Amino acid sequence: MPTLSLPPAPAELHLAELAEANRPTQLPLLRRIAELLATSPKVTHLLVRGSLASGTADRLSDVDFLVGVHDGALPAFTTALDDLMTVAAGALLPGWRDTIVADLGGVGFVFLVQHEGKMQQVDLYLAPASQVPAIRRKIAGKVLLERELGQISRPQIEAARSFVAEHTSRPRSCTDLLIEHLVLAVLLHKRIQRGQRFVAYAEWHLLHTATKDLIKTALAPASRFWGWYQLREELALTPIGRACLADLDAAISSPAVPTAADVESALDRVLELTKRACPNALDGLADAITAYRTYLELA
């Protein structure tokens, strides 16, 4: 794997308070990601969110950041994020564009990162710096980094807003939807281990919906029908379509609240479906998926 040379982490990162209040097993990873992000002068704010900020983290908790980025740099920073997280942070896969996180005027990503022989979830919510003061009135978190914003022009603010709107509405590719399955499987394993049946039910439905979207994107990209309508009429015209519909039927016939074995079966099913319906989605991901499944077994 290539190496990335980075400057030293800024001295203004405020990690001591977080370490004293809460010393979770994820703290070394949190520090590593914070130092990595803070090396960019375009990052204006870093806030830790969720259980790591509130002191209620367990061994399954994710590392959750709000990342303020100068409005003028947001498109370039977002575009470079996959490379940064893969090369410098050890992400196993490209980031999943988070469709679960609340809309705060930015773009959310979920990365699966290998750390000390385990797979950890890192959530990064990128927000235009001009929006961070308003966001902080809506969410709780611990501030790790806060820099002077500098000059942000009205055109830069408008360009950042347009970029966020375009990015969040962009149609997802088969590769995007395959990564969504892989991330949701990790989330589901956490819910099952914690006994969070209601959340597991919701995320299990999201997984089935991602399977439907994957099939439609692969086999009926110009579909005129919304959601789950007219699937059989559109897809059952070919042997591949009928096989994919059988996979989808098997998915929705599974229990409403999954077991770990159900999640593993769903992963096996969707990987076979992808090979059949859109094999190009696997280009460049074979080694990453092998590593992902290895780390998932160790979780």
Side-chain angles (χ1 to χ4, degrees), residues 9 13 43 122 138 162 164 178 215 230 273 285:
L13 272 176
V43 171
V122 176
K138 299 177 183 178
S162 296
V164 169
L178 175 59
I215 296 170
Q230 302 292 317
L273 186 158
L285 289 181

Side-chain angles (χ1 to χ4, degrees), residues 239-256:
I240 288 179
R242 290 191 289 274
C244 289
L245 284 176
D247 286 335
L248 185 59
D249 192 72
I252 65 173
S253 300
S254 58

Side-chain angles (χ1 to χ4, degrees), residues 236-278:
L237 304 177
T238 65
I240 288 179
R242 290 191 289 274
C244 289
L245 284 176
D247 286 335
L248 185 59
D249 192 72
I252 65 173
S253 300
S254 58
V257 179
T259 64
D262 292 327
V263 176
E264 286 303 305
S265 294
L267 264 185
D268 290 338
R269 188 164 51 238
V270 79
L271 287 169
E272 289 303 313
L273 186 158
T274 303
K275 291 176 186 176
R276 182 194 314 124
C278 47

Side-chain angles (χ1 to χ4, degrees), residues 39 68 112 138 223 234 267:
T39 57
L112 302 177
K138 299 177 183 178
S223 173
E234 284 194 312
L267 264 185

